[in-house]
Amino acid sequence: LYTAPDSCEGRCQEPYSPEDECHCNAECERHRNCCEDYYRHCRDEGFSSSRDAITDEELLQVSEQLYKADHNKARPTDIAINPQYQASPDETGDREDRSPQPLYKYVNEELFSKPTYASFIKLLDNYQRATGREEDVTAEELREQDNFLREVMKTELMKKLFTFLHKKNRYGSEQEFVADLKEMWFGLYSRGDGEQDSSGFEHVFSGEVKKGKVSGFHNWIRFYLLEKQGAVNYFSHNFEGPWDTYPDVLGLQFSWDGFYKEVGSAFIGSSPEFEFGLYTLCFIARPGRACHLSLGGYSLSIQTYTWTKSTYGNGKKYIATAYVIS
């Protein structure tokens, strides 16, 4: 019987074979290499229905725990933003600057001396933003990656995330978790013609330029620092979250050295470990699907995508992107 190579129809619990494009056995969730329709065809007999499943209810609970544990987030007095013009859905593609003032009126830069912020900011200049240009990773940059991971793992937030994933049998030890974080976020792959030119971290947090448009770039700290230098020009916003404190969420239009971003969503005022932890949770629990969370009693969804063209370890997938659905 012929079965489509990218489908689980008729393939549930089939033994792992490295020749397969994607997988349908009980381990595929752990390795994040399931076929896209795995949940439709195999869920009841698969890994996800066992006690190691991460249920929708558990995602709501653990996201609230992480929200409460974000002790390094900005206080209401640390940031003042000026969102100005709210664009309608049919205006986001206009490339028109409808907000004469910068988005950030004030940021208390003392935040940036906190260890997770300082180690995060050091990573931002490690990348060439144009896709198709090979990344040259130096020993110093590798040290900066390790330092960032070390600092975030000291936080209560990331410890809570590890405890949750450990209970769910995704990782046997913190060491295994950190090694996997390094691969899934910092491992290089090719968005161009075979050059190792991209990674999940670069795409999501630092931003890239592909085919004349801004790609990724979902981080408020990066935005603030570039806006302050005059490299980013804020145009408008199309969504402002219901939070009256930080982290808040904004959907926004902007240009970066003339390259346009039609809708860039970002948490505002969250710590680096908060975004890093939430995106990791969703990538592990709901790769390639909308991941429904709860923050301070309000619902919020994160979309992640897996990189499908190359893998690491035992067929594990890299992060292609992760962002708040605004």
Side-chain angles (χ1 to χ4, degrees), residues 204-220:
V204 172
F205 293 105
S206 186
E208 299 182 294
V209 171
K210 187 176 183 186
K211 295 183 177 162
K213 283 186 183 164
V214 176
S215 179
F217 197 145
H218 299 287
N219 179 254
W220 76 271

Side-chain angles (χ1 to χ4, degrees), residues 67-166:
Y67 180 74
K68 287 191 182 77
D70 188 12
H71 307 306
N72 285 326
K73 68 184 177 193
R75 296 177 308 257
T77 52
D78 286 331
I79 299 178
I81 60 171
N82 181 16
Q84 299 161 83
Y85 188 83
Q86 180 154 6
S88 64
D90 54 358
E91 287 175 323
T92 59
D94 288 354
R95 304 183 179 225
E96 213 171 299
D97 183 359
R98 295 182 166 95
S99 304
Q101 304 298 316
L103 174 61
Y104 286 93
K105 283 203 276 202
Y106 169 75
V107 170
N108 174 10
E109 294 195 9
E110 280 179 27
L111 276 174
F112 301 159
S113 59
K114 293 186 177 197
T116 57
Y117 285 81
S119 58
F120 172 80
I121 289 167
K122 276 213 161 80
L123 293 167
L124 295 174
D125 64 359
N126 290 355
Y127 300 102
Q128 303 199 47
R129 68 180 177 191
T131 57
R133 290 174 64 185
E134 184 100 19
E135 292 295 344
D136 176 27
V137 185
T138 65
E140 174 65 17
E141 288 170 359
L142 290 171
R143 277 196 295 277
E144 288 173 357
Q145 292 171 11
D146 290 335
N147 190 41
F148 172 70
L149 292 170
R150 203 164 35 245
E151 291 301 342
V152 296
M153 286 311 298
K154 289 177 189 171
T155 64
E156 185 194 335
L157 188 151
M158 288 299 285
K159 286 193 185 303
K160 273 194 187 323
L161 175 60
F162 167 69
T163 302
F164 175 74
L165 294 172
H166 179 57

